Structure formats: C-alpha cells, structure tokens
Amino acid sequence: MNTADLGLPNEKGREAPQKGDGGLGAPPSGSWGRVGVPSTALFTDQYEFTMLQAALKAGTAERRSVFEVFTRRLPEGRRYGVVAGVGRVLDAVENFRFDAGVLGFLRERHIVDEPTLQWLAGYRFRGDIWGYPEGEVYFSGSPILRVEGSFAECVLLETVILSILNHDSAIAAAASRMSTAADGRGLIEMGARRTHELSAVAAARAAYVGGFDSTSDLAAGFRYAIPTVGTSAHAFTLLHDSERDAFQAQVDSLGHGTTLLVDTFDVAEAVRTAVDIAGPELGSVRIDSGDLLLVAHRVRKQLDELGAVNTRIVVTSDLDEYAIASLAAAPVDAYGVGTRLVTGSGQPTCSMVYKLVARARSTDPTAPLEPVAKKSLGGKLSIGGRKWAARRLDEHGVAEAEVVGIGDVPPELADRQLLVQLVRGGEIVAREPLDAARERHIAARGALPMSAIQLSRGEPVIPTEYVGPDTAAYA
C-alpha cells in the first residue's frame, strides 16, 4: 500500500536540513531544503525605524532593554495555545540585514536620516533570546519569547517576530485541535490554494508541528522535509473518455497502491471500477463530497464485500475539528483539511504583543535593569520586569498551573522552567529538526488535563498564576 497517499509518512523521524529550518540561505550542494530569500529587514512597520532614529538622536538607543512576547488572553473558547514558528523566527533574526538595496529604499523614501542609515548598514542582532521551545503549549501571560539587547537592536525585530508567531501559532493550535479530534487517524494539510502562497508554506510547517502527518504543498516539503502527498483531482477523471479510463491511467502510472477519487459521478460504481482495475491491493479511495458519514459507511461495506478489506478511505471537503469529530464513528482512515486549517479554524491570529518590560536607566553596560510597563485603560495593561515561567504539576504529573514570576524561581519549580536560550550573543544556539517540535507538542499536550482536548468552548485548561513583586494585582 502506498501509505504516503494517506498522509502517513514513509520515513519517520526524518530531519530537516541541519543549518536550520527557516528556508533561508542557499541549498547545500547536491541537496535540498533551504531557499534563498531577500533580507527580512523590511518585514516590519515604519515606526520601528522612526523610533530608532529618535532614540539614536536622544542618546537612549543603546540602553539595555528586555522585550517580551505574550498574549493577554487566548482566542475565545480555546483551552490552550501552541507555540509555533520559533525556527522561522531564528532564521528571520539571522537574516535581518540591511543591504544596499534596502538602504537605498529607506533613503529614497526619506524613512530615516543619514546617521540612522549608517547605523543600520552595520546592523547585526548581538543580543540574547530566550523562549518557549517550539511545540510547547502556552497560556495567557506566558512570556513566550524574551528578547534582550540594546533598545535599538531589539525594537527593530518587533513586527517580524509577531508576524511569524501570531500566524504560525494560530495554525498550530487549529492543527492540534484537529489532531485530537482525529484520534490517531491520518491528517493531510492541503490548504495551499486557500491562502497566500508564502503563508501556505508556513501553514504547512505549523500544521506539522500541531500534529498533521503530511502536506500537499511541495514548497513546504522542499523547505522543511515534511512528507508530501497527492494523486489526482476531478479534472483528471473528466479529462478521460470514461472513469474507467482515468482509473486505469492512474493505476498504470502510480501503481495499485494509489488513491482513487471516487465521487466524480456515482460513488458505488466508481468503487466497483476501482477495485476491478486495481484489485484488492488498491491503496485508498478518496471521498470529497456528500454526506461523508453515510457515504464512508457505504463505501467501507462495499470495499469489504469486493475483497478490498485493506483499502483505506480518505475524506476531504471543507473539514474542521468539529467535522472530524463528527466522523469519529465512521470507517475513515485519513482526513484532508484545507481552508479551515490555514485560516486558524476561525482564529487566524493569537493576538500576541511585543512589549518593553525592562530597561536600564543609562547606556552604562553595568546599569541595572528597571521594570517598565504600560498602565493604560481598556484591558491593555502589562506587567513590568524580566520574567521566568514554569508549569506546576500535580501528584499525577498533570499540569495544574502556569506560573509566571519576577525575581527568584521557587526551588520547587526550578526543574519545571519553560524558557530555553535560543540565541546567545547574536549566535543561534537552539536549532533543531522540525520533528523535535512535533514530538514536543504531543508530549506537552498529553501532560494537560483531559479537558484540554474538549472541542466545546471553555476557559483555559489551567490558570496563569503570577508571583513576585508588582504582580499581586494580576493574581
């Protein structure tokens, strides 16, 4: 059987390219997996540059600063979030460079003055980044990413970091919900035609982190070594003079283990024709329309009666986590999901923000950091201070609270800390294969209370607790 047609990878644990999985840089000689792209320096908002110019003129640009990425609340009804895009963030930071073309654009548009352009020409991020490792779960207030360095070098990264994390984490959260609904059955990401072509690649990567097995998007397979799948659409059947001719052509080309699309005309007749041509070795049949629950049962019964007891059933057609859950009792072996996945299943962003939480009073490298925080009305308050995070477990090893603190970490939480160092002195120190993030997510989700996998709307599955000075109002 051609298991790849079902979105079940033939190669388990295959690693992404070793230099990183962000798709930046030239592919290794005789290899594949990394794609040259322009600098990420303009994936930003103009006010990052105008703040930089003003800070340089004021003499405050080199003050040591700490920025944190967090969300004040999970998307409505979601019980946990999924951190995705960390690998892409690392590559974006590494590739944040101002070449002649970028500087020329900034000069021509009068975005910043000449002294600022001279400063940008030598820009390299030389600070430190800590964060939740990719695939980990998070909750409201979790310090998902902490960026430390001078104000000037950190502030420029705000937009590109948020762009990546907000998009990828939204897709991964939707994928995770679909994965729990599928309960071990195969999941195929197939949303490339429903979103921007570059977003499609990032979405396939995030979906893989969240539990999907494969993608139809070849660019995602090329960049990230995600297993790719695909056979034929209705157009292939309609091209031929008869459905039999189309099935015969596909089997002759792709073998008996292929997946045949059986709902172009009459499903029952198509199944009979498919088994007649491919025999009991037929890999799969795909159903893309109709009452999937009813049709799947009828097709399973028919396949078994025809002796194709090992032929699997793949269903597609505007699926989401609720539709997948409704098919739990159906004899379905794999699901193909497109539109709802790449749009976050109704929650296309995580509303993450990037806030300055501490800065030095002067540019003296030894000056101590002082907490700073926004105190505005309207629910947009933040907590000042450089934070740590840990997940407290109960006696059964199940998560019971997300603990976010300032200052010393309580001894009982010392081995439960969540942030790991990703960048040290400007050098990336935590690249990893994409499969590591995928496996981490499975483990992290499995350590949450059972109610985490409920699809009904509800509050976060565990509370966020704040400890330390200046956090009492948030407890």
Side-chain angles (χ1 to χ4, degrees):
M1 179 183 298
N2 185 355
T3 56
D5 285 345
L6 290 172
L8 308 176
N10 289 321
E11 299 178 50
K12 301 301 289 182
R14 181 169 53 171
E15 294 190 355
Q18 289 301 300
K19 192 183 175 186
D21 65 358
L24 306 175
S29 177
S31 184
W32 50 269
R34 290 177 62 79
V35 180
V37 299
S39 164
T40 54
L42 293 183
F43 292 162
T44 189
D45 293 305
Q46 181 167 318
Y47 81 163
E48 316 291 6
F49 291 98
T50 52
M51 283 192 288
L52 170 66
Q53 176 178 307
L56 287 170
K57 187 172 183 179
T60 54
E62 296 303 321
R63 288 187 177 187
R64 282 195 308 132
S65 300
V66 179
F67 287 81
E68 289 177 351
V69 174
F70 62 93
T71 184
R72 295 184 176 94
R73 63 193 63 84
L74 295 179
E76 184 181 357
R78 295 291 166 88
R79 297 174 182 267
Y80 61 93
V82 181
V83 179
V86 174
R88 296 208 308 122
V89 165
L90 295 180
D91 285 331
V93 170
E94 184 179 58
N95 205 46
F96 206 90
R97 302 284 188 269
F98 293 85
D99 58 25
V102 172
L103 292 171
F105 167 80
L106 296 174
R107 179 178 289 111
E108 178 185 340
R109 294 292 184 92
H110 304 289
I111 304 296
V112 293
D113 59 20
E114 198 61 34
T116 305
L117 289 170
Q118 294 301 316
W119 188 91
L120 290 172
Y123 178 87
R124 298 289 186 276
F125 180 75
R126 296 183 174 88
D128 298 331
I129 299 179
W130 294 72
Y132 281 38
E134 190 152 20
E136 184 57 83
V137 296
Y138 72 88
F139 299 89
S140 58
S142 296
I144 295 164
L145 202 73
R146 190 174 71 222
V147 183
E148 305 180 11
S150 71
F151 175 85
E153 64 182 337
C154 295
V155 74
L156 292 178
L157 300 175
E158 175 183 7
T159 304
V160 70
I161 286 176
L162 289 178
S163 176
I164 293 171
L165 292 180
N166 269 313
H167 174 269
D168 290 22
S169 296
I171 305 305
S176 181
R177 287 163 60 85
M178 294 174 189
S179 176
T180 59
D183 194 24
R185 296 175 178 179
L187 284 168
I188 310 164
E189 185 283 314
M190 48 194 307
R193 64 193 61 195
R194 304 302 188 201
T195 188
H196 185 280
E197 66 271 19
L198 298 182
S199 296
V201 181
R205 182 187 183 280
Y208 189 69
V209 170
F212 273 59
D213 301 291
S214 59
T215 178
S216 65
D217 190 82
L218 288 178
F222 179 80
R223 293 190 183 196
Y224 304 125
I226 300 170
T228 58
V229 301
T231 51
S232 67
H234 293 103
F236 184 78
T237 300
L238 296 172
L239 167 69
H240 293 81
D241 295 336
S242 69
E243 192 168 54
R244 173 174 288 275
D245 289 344
F247 287 178
Q248 188 67 63
Q250 184 173 325
V251 170
D252 288 346
S253 175
L254 300 178
H256 292 249
T258 192
T259 298
L260 295 175
L261 181 58
V262 295
D263 71 330
T264 306
F265 304 117
D266 179 85
V267 173
E269 181 60 32
V271 171
R272 278 192 293 273
T273 302
V275 176
D276 184 47
I277 291 171
E281 294 79 25
L282 174 62
S284 316
V285 294
R286 179 162 74 96
I287 307 166
D288 188 51
S289 58
D291 183 337
L292 297 178
L293 178 62
L294 176 63
V295 176
H297 277 288
R298 287 177 175 173
V299 168
R300 180 74 272 159
K301 183 175 184 294
Q302 185 180 11
L303 286 170
D304 291 347
E305 290 173 348
L306 293 170
V309 295
N310 294 318
T311 298
R312 299 192 179 190
I313 298 174
V314 182
V315 296
T316 53
S317 185
D318 294 325
L319 299 178
D320 61 10
E321 60 266 47
Y322 301 104
I324 291 171
S326 73
L327 292 168
V332 172
D333 299 286
Y335 307 91
V337 190
T339 303
R340 295 292 289 177
L341 177 61
V342 299
T343 56
S345 196
Q347 301 289 352
T349 183
C350 303
S351 299
M352 294 178 187
V353 294
Y354 184 94
K355 296 298 180 183
L356 181 67
V357 297
R359 51 87 173 150
R361 183 175 290 275
S362 72
T363 57
D364 183 344
T366 64
L369 290 170
E370 299 180 345
V372 294
K374 181 178 181 179
K375 298 295 183 183
S376 65
L377 301 176
K380 287 192 172 183
L381 283 76
S382 57
I383 303 174
R386 183 179 187 271
K387 300 172 196 67
W388 52 263
R391 191 160 299 140
R392 190 172 68 239
L393 308 180
D394 65 17
E395 65 273 20
H396 304 293
V398 177
E400 64 178 12
E402 188 89 339
V403 185
V404 177
I406 301 169
D408 295 334
V409 181
E412 66 272 17
L413 295 176
D415 63 348
R416 299 298 309 166
Q417 293 190 70
L418 293 165
L419 280 82
V420 300
Q421 188 153 24
L422 304 170
V423 177
R424 181 185 301 116
E427 296 295 324
I428 296 173
V429 296
R431 279 199 171 102
E432 61 181 3
L434 194 57
D435 279 332
R438 174 185 170 85
E439 292 164 7
R440 180 181 295 114
H441 176 62
I442 294 171
R445 187 178 64 195
L448 296 177
M450 286 290 292
S451 57
I453 65 173
Q454 293 177 347
L455 297 180
S456 57
R457 290 181 177 273
E459 296 300 312
V461 70
I462 61 174
T464 301
E465 299 178 0
Y466 296 97
V467 298
D470 301 321
T471 62
Y474 300 87

